[in-house]
Every structure is written in structure tokens, then in C-alpha cells.
Amino acid sequence: MRLRNITGSREVIADSDYVVHEDILTSCPGTWHEIFGNHDPIRIEIGMGKGQFIHTLAKQNPDVNYVGIEKYSSVLLRAIQKMEQEELPNLKFIRMDAEIIDEVFGKGEVDRIYLNFSDPWPKDRHAKRRLPSRQFLERYDRILKKDGIIEFKTDNRELFDFALEELEPAGWKADAVTFDLHSNEEMMVGNVMTEYEEKFSSMGNPICKYIIRR
Ligand code: SAM
């Protein structure tokens, strides 16, 4: 998702209390419980877009802390605007490229990672930029607690097949896999729709999902 540049989005982000700012990010590992002021579990969404999914989860689960990560200011701005309409103490945002995720969270600090409708990067030479790639799984391995899980949803079958192939070489295993989430009663329990999930499922695209652990 890339919205046209919105004038002033960088300034709004720089002034926002909902955002953990770039200048302190590298001092954050190991201190996220202080940032939230409690010892509740920390769950993150990487590539959250406008924040519909993570905002809904944070509202449903006040005893869980959430961090939404998004690369583009113009997109993050939308998530900030949603928070201005409905403020949630257990939700924070970071504007950054997730390539440095393991410099921002400490070892085992994260309880769960959500990847939703990640960019496909279709060219082979860009495979390592895909968020479910083995290179990213290595970074997630460093920050996720021992029994932590990753949940990934997409309507892109090629990306999903790639993601499944990456599991074994990276030392992960699937707890659950579906190629048609919305027809899978068990995996649909508690499902929160993302913006892209609403869009693509309404077009009739089946949604794939895995839940993985080491
Ligand atoms: N997760 C949302 C959903 O399901 O509606 C948005 C999906 S959108 C296709 C993917 C989002 O991930 C975009 O907003 C993009 O900017 C962001 N993104 C892609 N690669 C990223 C990265 N390396 N770090 C942070 N955000 C990233």
C-alpha cells in the first residue's frame, strides 16, 4: 500500500504521542514494558497499512499491548487519525522498515507477530524482501519468545506457497494451514478482517493463512 505523499504527514507523525519515534528506537530493546507501563504481552503487526486490523485487536484485548509497524508516513498517518478518533492506551506505532526489527525489540520480547497481505515482491532477486522469507524469519526468531507464534494471511497463492517452502529451511513448523480461511470454521474463530482481506475476499479471492512456531 502506498498512498500519494500527503503534505505534512511527517510533521504529524513527529508530533504524535501514539508513535515511538526513530530517535529512541535503538534504545527500545528490552524496555517495551516500560514504554507501555505494564507487563502485558506484546504483539506486533508488520506492514499494518492504515491500522484497521491492529486497532480492532487492541480494542478487543485491553490486556495485550500492540505495536503496529509501517514503512510509509502517508499510510501511518491514517492509523494515527484512527487513534485520534478512538484512543487506545495499549497501541503504539513505529514508522520504519522492518529490516531492522531485531534492533528495536529485544530477545524474546515479542509474544506474537502478525503479517497480513504482505507485499509480494514477485521478482526472484527480491525474495529476501518478502516479510515471510527465511531472512525475515531469522529476525523474528531473535525477537519472538520461545513459544511465540507468527500468523500470516494473504490472498496471493504464490507468496503463500513461497512462505510455506521457507519454513523448514528456517527451522519453523506449521501449527495450522488453510488455503481458504473463510471456509475454515475452526481457523475463523476470532478472525479479525484486515482492510485488504475485506477487499480481496469481497472479490471472491480465497484467503490463505498459516500459524507457525519453531
Ligand atoms: N496489513 C494491511 C492489510 O492487510 O490491510 C496492509 C497490507 S499492504 C498490501 C502492505 C503494507 O505493508 C503496506 O502499507 C506497506 O507499506 C507495508 N510494508 C511493506 N514492507 C514493509 C516493511 N519492510 N516494513 C514495514 N512496512 C512494510
Side-chain angles (χ1 to χ4, degrees), residues 6-45:
I6 298 173
T7 315
S9 57
R10 280 184 183 273
E11 289 75 8
V12 172
I13 291 167
D15 281 348
S16 175
D17 290 339
Y18 309 133
V19 176
V20 178
H21 296 286
E22 279 166 66
D23 54 338
I24 66 151
L25 279 182
T26 50
S27 62
C28 286
T31 71
W32 280 92
H33 289 298
E34 288 165 39
I35 292 168
F36 281 105
N38 61 50
H39 281 85
D40 294 336
I42 294 166
R43 300 184 178 173
I44 68 177
E45 184 186 10

Short mmCIF file of all heavy atoms in Angstrom, two decimals, residues 6-45:
data_model
loop_
_atom_site.label_atom_id
_atom_site.label_comp_id
_atom_site.label_asym_id
_atom_site.label_seq_id
_atom_site.Cartn_x
_atom_site.Cartn_y
_atom_site.Cartn_z
N ILE A 6 1.33 12.76 1.39
CA ILE A 6 0.36 13.69 1.97
C ILE A 6 1.16 14.77 2.68
O ILE A 6 1.96 14.47 3.58
CB ILE A 6 -0.59 12.98 2.94
CG1 ILE A 6 -1.38 11.93 2.15
CG2 ILE A 6 -1.51 13.95 3.65
CD1 ILE A 6 -2.25 11.03 2.98
N THR A 7 0.96 16.02 2.26
CA THR A 7 1.73 17.12 2.83
C THR A 7 1.52 17.15 4.33
O THR A 7 0.39 17.09 4.81
CB THR A 7 1.26 18.47 2.20
OG1 THR A 7 1.16 18.27 0.81
CG2 THR A 7 2.22 19.59 2.52
N GLY A 8 2.61 17.23 5.04
CA GLY A 8 2.52 17.38 6.49
C GLY A 8 2.47 16.07 7.25
O GLY A 8 2.49 16.05 8.48
N SER A 9 2.44 14.91 6.53
CA SER A 9 2.31 13.64 7.27
C SER A 9 3.52 13.41 8.18
O SER A 9 3.38 12.95 9.30
CB SER A 9 2.06 12.45 6.34
OG SER A 9 3.07 12.32 5.39
N ARG A 10 4.71 13.78 7.70
CA ARG A 10 5.92 13.58 8.53
C ARG A 10 5.84 14.43 9.80
O ARG A 10 6.23 13.99 10.87
CB ARG A 10 7.18 13.92 7.74
CG ARG A 10 7.58 12.78 6.83
CD ARG A 10 8.88 13.02 6.10
NE ARG A 10 9.14 11.91 5.20
CZ ARG A 10 9.78 10.80 5.55
NH1 ARG A 10 10.27 10.65 6.76
NH2 ARG A 10 9.95 9.82 4.68
N GLU A 11 5.31 15.65 9.64
CA GLU A 11 5.21 16.54 10.81
C GLU A 11 4.19 15.99 11.82
O GLU A 11 4.42 16.01 13.03
CB GLU A 11 4.80 17.97 10.38
CG GLU A 11 5.87 18.75 9.64
CD GLU A 11 6.08 18.29 8.18
OE1 GLU A 11 5.30 17.46 7.68
OE2 GLU A 11 7.05 18.78 7.56
N VAL A 12 3.06 15.49 11.30
CA VAL A 12 2.03 14.94 12.21
C VAL A 12 2.61 13.76 12.97
O VAL A 12 2.45 13.63 14.19
CB VAL A 12 0.77 14.49 11.41
CG1 VAL A 12 -0.21 13.74 12.32
CG2 VAL A 12 0.09 15.69 10.76
N ILE A 13 3.37 12.90 12.25
CA ILE A 13 3.97 11.73 12.90
C ILE A 13 4.98 12.18 13.95
O ILE A 13 5.00 11.66 15.08
CB ILE A 13 4.63 10.82 11.83
CG1 ILE A 13 3.53 10.18 10.97
CG2 ILE A 13 5.53 9.75 12.46
CD1 ILE A 13 4.03 9.52 9.71
N ALA A 14 5.80 13.17 13.60
CA ALA A 14 6.83 13.64 14.53
C ALA A 14 6.22 14.18 15.82
O ALA A 14 6.82 14.08 16.89
CB ALA A 14 7.68 14.71 13.86
N ASP A 15 4.98 14.73 15.73
CA ASP A 15 4.33 15.32 16.91
C ASP A 15 3.45 14.33 17.66
O ASP A 15 2.90 14.67 18.71
CB ASP A 15 3.42 16.48 16.46
CG ASP A 15 4.24 17.73 16.19
OD1 ASP A 15 5.42 17.74 16.57
OD2 ASP A 15 3.69 18.68 15.58
N SER A 16 3.28 13.14 17.11
CA SER A 16 2.27 12.22 17.67
C SER A 16 2.79 11.42 18.88
O SER A 16 3.86 10.80 18.82
CB SER A 16 1.81 11.24 16.59
OG SER A 16 0.93 10.30 17.16
N ASP A 17 1.98 11.42 19.94
CA ASP A 17 2.31 10.63 21.14
C ASP A 17 2.02 9.15 20.92
O ASP A 17 2.40 8.31 21.74
CB ASP A 17 1.48 11.11 22.34
CG ASP A 17 1.93 12.48 22.81
OD1 ASP A 17 3.08 12.85 22.51
OD2 ASP A 17 1.12 13.16 23.47
N TYR A 18 1.31 8.83 19.86
CA TYR A 18 0.99 7.41 19.59
C TYR A 18 2.17 6.69 18.94
O TYR A 18 2.16 5.48 18.82
CB TYR A 18 -0.21 7.28 18.65
CG TYR A 18 -1.42 8.07 19.07
CD1 TYR A 18 -2.12 8.86 18.17
CD2 TYR A 18 -1.86 8.02 20.39
CE1 TYR A 18 -3.23 9.58 18.55
CE2 TYR A 18 -2.98 8.75 20.79
CZ TYR A 18 -3.65 9.53 19.86
OH TYR A 18 -4.74 10.24 20.26
N VAL A 19 3.15 7.48 18.49
CA VAL A 19 4.28 6.92 17.74
C VAL A 19 5.51 6.84 18.64
O VAL A 19 5.81 7.77 19.38
CB VAL A 19 4.58 7.82 16.51
CG1 VAL A 19 5.81 7.32 15.75
CG2 VAL A 19 3.37 7.88 15.59
N VAL A 20 6.22 5.72 18.55
CA VAL A 20 7.54 5.62 19.19
C VAL A 20 8.53 6.08 18.13
O VAL A 20 8.63 5.48 17.05
CB VAL A 20 7.82 4.18 19.67
CG1 VAL A 20 9.20 4.10 20.30
CG2 VAL A 20 6.74 3.75 20.67
N HIS A 21 9.23 7.17 18.43
CA HIS A 21 9.96 7.88 17.39
C HIS A 21 11.34 7.30 17.08
O HIS A 21 11.97 6.67 17.94
CB HIS A 21 10.05 9.37 17.76
CG HIS A 21 8.70 10.00 17.80
ND1 HIS A 21 7.99 10.29 16.66
CD2 HIS A 21 7.90 10.34 18.84
CE1 HIS A 21 6.81 10.79 17.00
NE2 HIS A 21 6.72 10.83 18.32
N GLU A 22 11.76 7.56 15.84
CA GLU A 22 13.01 6.99 15.31
C GLU A 22 14.21 7.24 16.21
O GLU A 22 15.06 6.37 16.37
CB GLU A 22 13.30 7.55 13.92
CG GLU A 22 12.51 6.84 12.83
CD GLU A 22 12.52 7.58 11.52
OE1 GLU A 22 13.60 7.69 10.92
OE2 GLU A 22 11.45 8.07 11.09
N ASP A 23 14.28 8.44 16.83
CA ASP A 23 15.48 8.78 17.59
C ASP A 23 15.67 7.92 18.84
O ASP A 23 16.78 7.79 19.35
CB ASP A 23 15.48 10.29 17.95
CG ASP A 23 14.21 10.70 18.68
OD1 ASP A 23 13.20 10.00 18.52
OD2 ASP A 23 14.23 11.70 19.39
N ILE A 24 14.56 7.29 19.32
CA ILE A 24 14.74 6.45 20.52
C ILE A 24 14.64 4.95 20.22
O ILE A 24 14.80 4.10 21.11
CB ILE A 24 13.76 6.82 21.66
CG1 ILE A 24 12.31 6.51 21.27
CG2 ILE A 24 13.93 8.25 22.10
CD1 ILE A 24 11.48 6.18 22.49
N LEU A 25 14.39 4.61 18.94
CA LEU A 25 14.12 3.20 18.61
C LEU A 25 15.22 2.24 19.03
O LEU A 25 14.95 1.17 19.54
CB LEU A 25 13.87 3.05 17.11
CG LEU A 25 12.44 3.41 16.63
CD1 LEU A 25 12.32 3.16 15.14
CD2 LEU A 25 11.39 2.64 17.40
N THR A 26 16.49 2.66 18.83
CA THR A 26 17.57 1.71 19.13
C THR A 26 17.79 1.55 20.64
O THR A 26 18.49 0.64 21.07
CB THR A 26 18.89 2.12 18.44
OG1 THR A 26 19.14 3.48 18.74
CG2 THR A 26 18.83 1.88 16.94
N SER A 27 17.16 2.43 21.43
CA SER A 27 17.26 2.23 22.89
C SER A 27 16.04 1.45 23.41
O SER A 27 15.92 1.22 24.62
CB SER A 27 17.39 3.58 23.61
OG SER A 27 16.24 4.35 23.37
N CYS A 28 15.16 1.04 22.51
CA CYS A 28 13.93 0.35 22.94
C CYS A 28 14.07 -1.12 23.33
O CYS A 28 13.32 -1.60 24.18
CB CYS A 28 12.86 0.44 21.84
SG CYS A 28 12.13 2.08 21.74
N PRO A 29 15.02 -1.89 22.72
CA PRO A 29 15.05 -3.32 23.05
C PRO A 29 15.11 -3.56 24.56
O PRO A 29 15.91 -2.93 25.26
CB PRO A 29 16.34 -3.83 22.38
CG PRO A 29 16.57 -2.89 21.26
CD PRO A 29 16.06 -1.55 21.73
N GLY A 30 14.21 -4.40 25.04
CA GLY A 30 14.18 -4.72 26.47
C GLY A 30 13.40 -3.71 27.30
O GLY A 30 13.24 -3.92 28.51
N THR A 31 12.89 -2.64 26.70
CA THR A 31 12.21 -1.61 27.51
C THR A 31 10.74 -1.43 27.12
O THR A 31 10.08 -0.48 27.57
CB THR A 31 12.89 -0.23 27.37
OG1 THR A 31 12.63 0.28 26.06
CG2 THR A 31 14.38 -0.30 27.60
N TRP A 32 10.21 -2.33 26.29
CA TRP A 32 8.85 -2.11 25.81
C TRP A 32 7.82 -2.14 26.94
O TRP A 32 6.79 -1.46 26.87
CB TRP A 32 8.51 -3.11 24.69
CG TRP A 32 9.12 -2.61 23.40
CD1 TRP A 32 10.35 -2.93 22.91
CD2 TRP A 32 8.56 -1.64 22.51
NE1 TRP A 32 10.58 -2.23 21.74
CE2 TRP A 32 9.49 -1.44 21.47
CE3 TRP A 32 7.36 -0.93 22.48
CZ2 TRP A 32 9.27 -0.55 20.42
CZ3 TRP A 32 7.12 -0.05 21.43
CH2 TRP A 32 8.07 0.13 20.42
N HIS A 33 8.09 -2.92 27.98
CA HIS A 33 7.14 -2.94 29.10
C HIS A 33 7.12 -1.60 29.82
O HIS A 33 6.07 -1.17 30.31
CB HIS A 33 7.45 -4.10 30.05
CG HIS A 33 7.13 -5.42 29.44
ND1 HIS A 33 5.86 -5.77 29.07
CD2 HIS A 33 7.91 -6.46 29.08
CE1 HIS A 33 5.85 -6.97 28.53
NE2 HIS A 33 7.10 -7.42 28.51
N GLU A 34 8.27 -0.93 29.83
CA GLU A 34 8.29 0.43 30.42
C GLU A 34 7.53 1.40 29.52
O GLU A 34 6.82 2.28 30.00
CB GLU A 34 9.73 0.91 30.57
CG GLU A 34 10.50 0.22 31.68
CD GLU A 34 12.00 0.46 31.57
OE1 GLU A 34 12.42 1.57 31.21
OE2 GLU A 34 12.75 -0.52 31.81
N ILE A 35 7.70 1.25 28.22
CA ILE A 35 7.00 2.15 27.28
C ILE A 35 5.49 2.04 27.48
O ILE A 35 4.78 3.05 27.51
CB ILE A 35 7.42 1.83 25.82
CG1 ILE A 35 8.89 2.22 25.61
CG2 ILE A 35 6.52 2.54 24.81
CD1 ILE A 35 9.53 1.72 24.33
N PHE A 36 4.99 0.81 27.69
CA PHE A 36 3.55 0.64 27.89
C PHE A 36 3.15 0.82 29.36
O PHE A 36 1.97 0.99 29.66
CB PHE A 36 3.11 -0.75 27.40
CG PHE A 36 2.96 -0.83 25.90
CD1 PHE A 36 3.89 -1.47 25.11
CD2 PHE A 36 1.86 -0.24 25.27
CE1 PHE A 36 3.75 -1.55 23.74
CE2 PHE A 36 1.70 -0.31 23.89
CZ PHE A 36 2.65 -0.97 23.12
N GLY A 37 4.13 0.75 30.25
CA GLY A 37 3.82 0.92 31.68
C GLY A 37 3.13 -0.28 32.29
O GLY A 37 2.36 -0.14 33.26
N ASN A 38 3.35 -1.47 31.73
CA ASN A 38 2.76 -2.69 32.31
C ASN A 38 3.56 -3.90 31.83
O ASN A 38 4.50 -3.74 31.05
CB ASN A 38 1.28 -2.83 31.94
CG ASN A 38 1.09 -2.94 30.43
OD1 ASN A 38 1.74 -3.73 29.75
ND2 ASN A 38 0.19 -2.12 29.88
N HIS A 39 3.17 -5.09 32.28
CA HIS A 39 3.89 -6.31 31.86
C HIS A 39 3.02 -7.21 31.00
O HIS A 39 3.23 -8.42 30.94
CB HIS A 39 4.46 -7.05 33.08
CG HIS A 39 5.73 -6.41 33.56
ND1 HIS A 39 5.74 -5.34 34.43
CD2 HIS A 39 7.02 -6.63 33.22
CE1 HIS A 39 6.99 -4.95 34.63
NE2 HIS A 39 7.79 -5.71 33.90
N ASP A 40 2.04 -6.62 30.33
CA ASP A 40 1.19 -7.40 29.43
C ASP A 40 1.99 -7.84 28.21
O ASP A 40 2.97 -7.20 27.83
CB ASP A 40 -0.02 -6.55 28.99
CG ASP A 40 -0.93 -6.24 30.17
OD1 ASP A 40 -0.90 -7.01 31.16
OD2 ASP A 40 -1.65 -5.21 30.12
N PRO A 41 1.56 -8.95 27.56
CA PRO A 41 2.28 -9.42 26.37
C PRO A 41 2.28 -8.39 25.24
O PRO A 41 1.38 -7.55 25.16
CB PRO A 41 1.52 -10.69 25.96
CG PRO A 41 0.30 -10.74 26.78
CD PRO A 41 0.45 -9.81 27.93
N ILE A 42 3.33 -8.50 24.40
CA ILE A 42 3.49 -7.53 23.30
C ILE A 42 3.34 -8.26 21.97
O ILE A 42 4.06 -9.22 21.69
CB ILE A 42 4.86 -6.84 23.41
CG1 ILE A 42 4.90 -5.99 24.68
CG2 ILE A 42 5.15 -6.00 22.16
CD1 ILE A 42 6.28 -5.54 25.09
N ARG A 43 2.40 -7.81 21.17
CA ARG A 43 2.16 -8.40 19.85
C ARG A 43 2.32 -7.33 18.79
O ARG A 43 1.91 -6.18 19.01
CB ARG A 43 0.74 -9.01 19.79
CG ARG A 43 0.59 -10.07 20.84
CD ARG A 43 -0.73 -10.80 20.81
NE ARG A 43 -0.67 -11.83 21.86
CZ ARG A 43 -1.67 -12.58 22.24
NH1 ARG A 43 -2.84 -12.45 21.65
NH2 ARG A 43 -1.52 -13.48 23.18
N ILE A 44 2.93 -7.70 17.66
CA ILE A 44 3.22 -6.68 16.65
C ILE A 44 2.64 -7.09 15.29
O ILE A 44 2.56 -8.27 14.97
CB ILE A 44 4.74 -6.41 16.53
CG1 ILE A 44 5.51 -7.61 15.95
CG2 ILE A 44 5.33 -6.06 17.90
CD1 ILE A 44 7.02 -7.35 15.75
N GLU A 45 2.23 -6.08 14.53
CA GLU A 45 1.86 -6.32 13.13
C GLU A 45 2.87 -5.59 12.26
O GLU A 45 3.07 -4.38 12.41
CB GLU A 45 0.44 -5.82 12.81
CG GLU A 45 0.07 -6.18 11.36
CD GLU A 45 -1.25 -5.62 10.85
OE1 GLU A 45 -1.85 -4.77 11.54
OE2 GLU A 45 -1.67 -6.00 9.75
#
